[in-house]
Amino acid sequence: MGSPAFSVPALRGLVEAGHEVACVYAQPPRPAGRGQRETPCPVHQAAIEMGLPVRTPARVRRDVAEHDAFAALGLDAAVVVAYGLILPGPMLAAPRLGCLNIHASLLPRWRGAAPIHAAVLAGDAETGITIMRMDEGLDTGPMLLREATPIGPRETTAEVHDRLSAMGARLILRALAERPAEIPQPEEGATYAPKLGKEDGRLDWAEPASALDRRVRAMTPWPGAFTALGGEVLRVLSAEPAPGREAAAGTVLDDAMLVACGGGTALRLLRVQKAGRAAMEAGAFLRGHAVPTGTVLG
């Protein structure tokens, strides 16, 4: 049970390891691309390629027919990774070994929908994968396996995402093979990572450069960090803190896209993109767009 690209390595790993996949559950196809054509999600597409049966219910919480169909599969276990729908009690209880979740954090830190973004944004030194048996709480079930990985000082959510995706695929195979003892999650240290929206990428120049640097990296590739330049949206794809000076927040301090931030700090924009245009290194962007010293970004 999964939907985005993060979930695909786990599905492929289960099949390659010889597990019988009775059914794949994924989010329904949605409009995508310029033509807004109905497009299956990455897990759905992978399942089709592997010849696996797929179900794509739009909701499952109160759909008794879906509960019955799930129970009728006669599962030993369900593997759930970034599925996107909340499973009700009857579905959680149906598999013999329960529903095993691949969660992209070291629980109980960063329960919720966006744990990788949250870890990068908070400046955590490490994150990891937790394999847990799901209960009806929000990522509160007992843990079977945990494995940590450091977050590099310049890493983006995209980079951590790919590493954790591979780790999750490896650890779920271990969990199914070894059947490790369950360990209850402690409530101490629990934090939550809510679902993100596009506005979470907005840069508030009153914050210090270190926080803005983390936001740029945390929001890469989605929802994307951005600011306003002359009434247009300017996406900030890469940046780094640099020596600054006291100036109004958002003021461009030199001719190479150094921007004043809170507390006398500064952020140098390294790679940017205007709406409908190609992404560019800052130097190339400045050759075609005047951003004089004293310009205020908002």
Side-chain angles (χ1 to χ4, degrees):
M1 308 181 86
S3 296
F6 184 86
S7 314
V8 172
L11 174 59
R12 293 195 186 282
L14 290 165
V15 172
E16 290 168 4
H19 290 285
E20 179 187 354
V21 178
C23 188
V24 173
Y25 278 70
Q27 289 274 329
R30 292 193 168 91
R34 290 182 180 273
Q36 291 294 285
R37 294 173 56 185
E38 291 284 313
T39 303
C41 69
V43 167
H44 189 169
Q45 293 181 34
I48 291 172
E49 291 169 8
M50 290 184 277
L52 299 172
V54 184
R55 291 181 69 88
T56 58
R59 55 189 63 84
V60 296
R61 291 189 73 177
R62 297 179 177 84
D63 192 329
V64 175
E66 283 296 339
H67 303 173
D68 292 344
F70 187 70
L73 293 172
L75 304 176
D76 290 311
V79 173
V80 185
V81 50
Y83 177 37
L85 295 180
I86 296 174
L87 302 183
M91 294 182 76
L92 293 173
R96 181 173 62 86
L97 301 175
C99 295
L100 307 184
N101 179 232
I102 303 173
H103 187 76
S105 80
L106 297 173
L107 291 171
R109 186 162 177 79
W110 303 130
R111 295 169 176 169
I116 306 175
H117 296 80
V120 176
L121 185 61
D124 289 358
E126 65 175 10
T127 185
I129 289 290
T130 303
I131 305 296
M132 52 163 275
R133 181 175 58 77
M134 298 172 70
D135 60 17
E136 293 194 61
L138 178 61
D139 299 326
T140 56
M143 303 179 293
L144 284 74
L145 292 171
R146 288 167 93 239
E147 185 174 308
T149 183
I151 299 176
R154 304 304 310 154
E155 279 198 300
T156 66
T157 287
E159 292 164 328
V160 179
H161 167 284
D162 291 351
R163 189 160 70 253
L164 291 182
S165 178
M167 284 176 60
R170 173 169 51 81
L171 286 182
I172 192 62
L173 294 179
R174 270 191 58 197
L176 290 169
E178 298 173 11
R179 311 273 180 87
E182 296 182 355
I183 301 172
Q185 282 191 48
E187 282 303 315
E188 183 179 355
T191 55
Y192 292 88
K195 185 176 180 179
L196 297 175
K198 289 186 178 180
E199 277 300 304
D200 289 292
R202 184 180 295 276
L203 298 177
D204 179 357
W205 297 107
E207 292 187 347
S210 57
L212 291 171
D213 170 50
R214 292 196 302 271
R215 186 166 295 276
V216 171
R217 290 185 290 110
M219 302 301 155
T220 299
W222 192 91
F226 68 94
T227 187
L229 171 62
E232 294 186 77
V233 171
L234 181 70
R235 293 190 65 198
V236 180
L237 306 178
S238 178
E240 64 181 8
R245 63 175 185 270
E246 289 292 341
T251 301
V252 176
L253 299 175
D254 65 10
D255 59 359
M257 299 287 274
L258 183 68
V259 185
C261 308
T265 61
L267 189 73
R268 188 170 299 282
L269 309 190
L270 301 176
R271 187 170 175 81
V272 297
Q273 183 179 21
K274 292 185 78 171
R277 304 292 181 87
M280 297 183 181
E281 301 301 318
F285 179 82
L286 290 170
R287 286 193 288 272
H289 303 82
V291 187
T293 299
T295 299
V296 178
L297 305 183

